[in-house]
Amino acid sequence: MSDAIVMTQKNFDDLKNELDYLVKIKRPEIIERISEARSHGDLSENAEYDAAREEQRTNEGKIAELEYKLKNADIRAEVTDTSYVHLDSKVTVYDCEMDEKTTYTVTSVTDVDVMNNKISVESPVGSVLLHKKVGDTVTVHCPDGSEYQMKILNIE
């Protein structure tokens, strides 16, 4: 499956719950708002109608995105072994070029949060850390063609 999206069962369940909410609750609410706005007459100058239609487009786009992710889910078992890096590992590395330590959490693409150092298993850093152990040095290949090395200091 080339479009596989790696995630844990919890990630899958969270996406399913979000999809259920958008389809069963939010979609009917938006349809009701559109209907109400239509009842006010001329649609060409009806900001309420335009806003509801825009929200509908956004909601339907999010539904399609979630359906795609769920359809292409590659569910991985949650692992608690800290002897190697796996999905949901918290990894402290030493960046040899920047001379600094950083701690990353290797997550599914559905849980990425760069501001909190949650990186995808499919990112340049996440993919080279997978299955490595404390003491290993990895080479990160950047999209711009450059590369740098990091040493794994700790795995939680």
Side-chain angles (χ1 to χ4, degrees):
M1 179 177 355
S2 64
D3 291 337
I5 299 173
V6 176
M7 65 181 72
T8 62
Q9 184 64 49
K10 181 188 179 314
N11 297 137
F12 183 87
D13 293 342
D14 289 347
L15 292 177
K16 181 81 175 106
N17 289 337
E18 184 179 359
L19 178 63
D20 286 345
Y21 168 77
L22 294 176
V23 170
K24 295 176 181 172
I25 296 171
K26 189 146 185 164
R27 182 186 273 165
E29 287 175 356
I30 294 169
I31 291 170
E32 179 61 35
R33 280 204 302 281
I34 290 171
S35 177
E36 174 68 28
R38 276 190 179 140
S39 71
H40 294 141
D42 185 11
L43 298 180
S44 64
E45 295 181 20
N46 189 331
E48 197 177 316
Y49 175 77
D50 292 340
R53 291 289 295 176
E54 181 57 34
E55 186 176 3
Q56 183 182 43
R57 280 188 286 281
T58 302
N59 192 59
E60 293 304 317
K62 185 68 176 171
I63 288 170
E65 176 188 343
L66 291 172
E67 287 173 338
Y68 176 83
K69 287 178 179 178
L70 291 168
K71 178 180 151 211
N72 293 292
D74 178 5
I75 299 173
R76 303 281 172 93
E78 293 186 42
V79 181
T80 56
D81 186 350
T82 59
S83 66
Y84 68 97
V85 179
H86 51 77
L87 189 61
D88 289 338
S89 288
K90 192 177 241 182
V91 186
T92 302
V93 296
Y94 172 74
D95 183 324
C96 301
E97 186 174 307
M98 300 297 286
D99 190 30
E100 64 185 18
K101 289 183 196 178
T102 306
T103 300
Y104 296 106
T105 302
V106 181
T107 68
S108 159
V109 294
T110 63
D111 280 348
V112 170
D113 182 356
V114 180
M115 298 304 288
N116 291 306
N117 286 346
K118 289 183 165 190
I119 59 171
S120 163
V121 294
E122 297 175 10
S123 69
V125 173
S127 63
V128 297
L129 289 175
L130 274 184
H131 308 294
K132 300 298 189 282
K133 298 179 179 192
V134 171
D136 288 352
T137 298
V138 297
T139 301
V140 179
H141 301 278
C142 302
D144 68 2
S146 64
E147 56 185 47
Y148 62 97
Q149 293 189 324
M150 296 188 314
K151 183 173 182 172
I152 298 174
L153 302 177
N154 188 41
I155 303 169
E156 296 176 40

